[in-house]
Amino acid sequence: MSENERHGERSERAETETGASRRGFLKGLGVAAAVGAGAASGDLLSMDGLEIVEDPIGNYPYRDWEDLYRERWDWDSVARSTHSVNCTGSCSWNVYVKNGQVWREEQAGDYPRFDESLPDPNPRGCQKGACYTDYVNADQRVKHPLKRVGERGEGKWKRISWDEALTEIATHVVEEVRAGRYDAISGFTPIPAMSPVSFAGGSRLINLLGGVSHSFYDWYSDLPPGQPLTWGVQTDNAESADWYNADYLIAWGSNVNVTRIPDAKYFLDAGYDGTKRVGVFTDYSQTAIHTDEWLSPEPGTDTALALGMARTIVEEGLYDEAHLKEQTDMPLLVREDTGKFLRAADLRADGDDRVFVMRDAEGTLRDAPGSLGNRAGKYDPDASIELGFDPRLDVDGTVDALDGEVRVRSVWAKLKAELARYDPAFVREETGVGRETHQRIAREFADADRAKIIHGKGVNDWYHNDLGNRAIQLLVTLTGNLGRQGTGLDHYVGQEKIWTVHGWKTLSFPTGDVRGVPTTLWTYYHAGILENTDEETAARIREAIDREWMPLYPEEREDGTRPDPTTLFVWRGNYFNQSKGNVAVEETLWPKLDLVVDVNFRMDSTAMYSDIVLPAASHYEKHDLSMTDMHTYVHPFTPAVEPLGESKTDWQIFRELAAKIQAVARERDLDPVRDRRFDREIDLTTVHDDFVRDWVSGAEGALADDRAACEFVLEHSEETNPSDSDARITFDDIDERPRRFEAASDHWTSPIEEGEAYAPWKRFVRDKEPWPTFTGRQQYYIDHDWFLEMGEELPTHKRPVVEQDREAYPLRYNTPHGRWSIHSTWRDNETLLRLQRGEPVVYLHPEDAEARGIADGDDVVVYNDLAEVEVQAKLYPSSRTGTARMYFAWETFQFPGRNNFNSLVPMYMKPTQLVRYPEDTGEHLRFVPNYWGPTGVNSDVRVDVRKKGGDGS
């Protein structure tokens, strides 16, 4: 009997079945009560007095108001779906439908277990997913194509037909491409793994048009630049189940109890198994309360704390010497005259400039295996970093180079000199953490067999986030906590490695020629912020663009001019709401855009500032796939109900737009346009045919619908269709229940192993493949000129850049991820607003509030030189004094004025995040969207707060 049939049978039970009356049933209960009373008094009574009752509710009187409860457990069908809103939870849910309406949802709870020693992966979900139903029929749901008739952001619209909307957009796009402005057309959409087909819909069309695809990871201030700097890989993480395998866990700026609700159980359960858990948070956060020990550094001083802990580990000899010698750049020699690595080319005429040098135990100079010069490109599984000799770690001496005698020191010797600065007194003064406390935690971490750090947005939000990342990574490297279960640094904020990357990439970018741009740089430049940047930083930004270390579109033309962007498509995201420097975005960038199109299921801030809004199907109304780095499963979206109103799926919308573009181009008999950069022509007369064609098999029209696109991703991904196996996962398979991936692709840094939670870096640590860095090792020394000039060749602590504003604006401004939303999604959800204060709130320490005459619940103004924002004050004793905290992503229209939480935040650009390294090819560091590029900065901001006066001041 199916689940639906069982529940249907239960709901159809007759109201007046025969059996004992309710009074008789209660009579039996009275006897039972007497038995209980007698037992309590010491008398043992016989149970013979109980009456046997076959149906205790057979004569229960019918009361019609109870039907509401009964009907909640009655439905017509059940569909499997999830909630794709840039959430790495990626949880499988059952969606219950009655009379064509979503009735309710609940966690599916059927993930197959792969390791009985770990806590059950079921269930997965949170309060956001539990009320997604609200969005399906919400007032803010976009049901029809809308065209702006007022000013952008004014909220004045007229309903238009799909044909009108698509014709207007298509005509504009045709004109842009025909005029050679195809690189003025941009598309922004967030993280693909939680709905790759919806991601691919817009990306595929943008790619066929010769347009520009934006990065997203940097735009949300989630990109940790220290990871590609050090490891040559961007955020490969263990799945969250591996947290349970650790003996020692540090949650460092990652508030997992709030932002990773489906996975927090692994962090919590580990404590029951003896794992020590430490929290490093500036506030006594919702995760800190569940830790065994809490460290509270001053905001912006995490780097100093990490380096102080590293100093203890090094000074007390607690490091893993074998790991450092084989796996890191610590034994490599550095020239003291130039600050550059000593290369084989410095020592002999036939030496390679990309081969680095060590000194062995006997004092002989040796080429370091795995250097970029002795391997085939960035990734080379046939090369090895395994040592056939014993290198020295601590070297300070001279070598005979081709240009004479040169003094050299090893990276290890230089690192020790840097760490010497972070003595206990300095760490205490800089961070506020006790002298003995940070040293004891460092010793415990080094002593643990399997130690892990869960690292998050709390460090990434700062201008010097790359230094913070590198310093915290150093702790797991020094102790050899990499490449084994229960070890590593897990960055739980955004990017995925554990998903069907090849199928998605092939679907999204069929031509293989991609114009990618870092959203932060694109916005910074076109919003005019560069013109107000200090001279030194502005010069470096221009140099990075001119030398093509970082791409910027539209491209500079032959006459030396650079056109403005003209067209922006946004789907699956909320670009405008997340804009750092959003005053400049609204006043300078937005007027340059002739057409802003938002594909959306709800009227959010970006939709409000768009010209045309196209109604997208909600997550319960389409086919798609869902994956994440938090687990190794794939599961689907399936349509539980028909799309509401005139809404269509993302794939369908962009396919129909492609058809309209093709029709307009054919009507005008347009010739193909030659692409300036790539060896291809942009042919608008075939753009729809190309959109639906399977570019791998050549089958025409094969990808007309979403379901076929899903199958394409599964078929062309190693994870779901391994090349060395007959195993294959189909859409029908995952519709039945989630499936664990069959294999790992080259995109991953470890294999999928039976009975083990995924843990990264095994290819390098266990199998000895070279790390994909310049040196082939975990690289803590970056000898790029800009790093040397800025004193950042090694991890080092630098104070926040806005310390000089302390007098004018005494409060630090912090905008962490919140509990009641995933970015801006659910920020306007009525159910969740009822669980908080229902409006934007700033959290203040009681002492800071009292000093300003502010009481809990008062209306206040948060302000700095950029803007003023009106919010409600909430007293937060768990915070540090001197901090104003506003959980981010409140929509612009939820504030009294036009400003929002980001209006107070300037847009910064750190030059060291713009480099190409090596400078000629950038095999180690080169721009790849969501891998390497400039990051957004949210926390290097100072404000003050005043009580809102009766006169509105």
Side-chain angles (χ1 to χ4, degrees), residues 552-570:
L552 182 65
Y553 295 101
E555 294 173 296
E556 188 175 288
R557 302 306 194 235
E558 290 183 0
D559 61 3
T561 63
R562 187 183 295 275
D564 290 330
T566 64
T567 313
L568 179 63
F569 288 91
V570 180

Side-chain angles (χ1 to χ4, degrees), residues 485-518:
Q485 253 63 40
T487 67
L489 181 138
D490 295 343
H491 182 270
Y492 284 96
V493 173
Q495 179 75 318
E496 285 83 20
K497 285 289 179 288
I498 306 175
W499 61 299
T500 49
V501 62
H502 185 264
W504 155 80
K505 189 174 182 180
T506 308
L507 184 69
S508 299
F509 310 108
T511 71
D513 298 321
V514 182
R515 283 184 170 86
V517 65

Side-chain angles (χ1 to χ4, degrees), residues 805-867:
D805 298 335
R806 184 186 295 267
E807 283 192 28
Y809 302 107
L811 301 177
R812 306 175 193 87
Y813 183 58
N814 186 13
T815 56
H817 283 147
R819 181 177 181 84
W820 308 111
S821 68
I822 304 296
H823 298 282
S824 63
T825 308
W826 284 290
R827 263 303 183 197
D828 56 353
N829 178 273
E830 185 175 351
T831 300
L832 293 183
L833 286 171
R834 287 172 176 171
L835 299 179
Q836 40 187 321
R837 296 201 174 183
E839 62 183 83
V841 170
V842 63
Y843 292 72
L844 300 173
H845 191 278
E847 292 179 12
D848 294 325
E850 183 179 9
R852 291 161 176 79
I854 295 171
D856 189 80
D858 281 349
D859 290 334
V860 299
V861 177
V862 186
Y863 64 95
N864 60 17
D865 286 342
L866 292 176

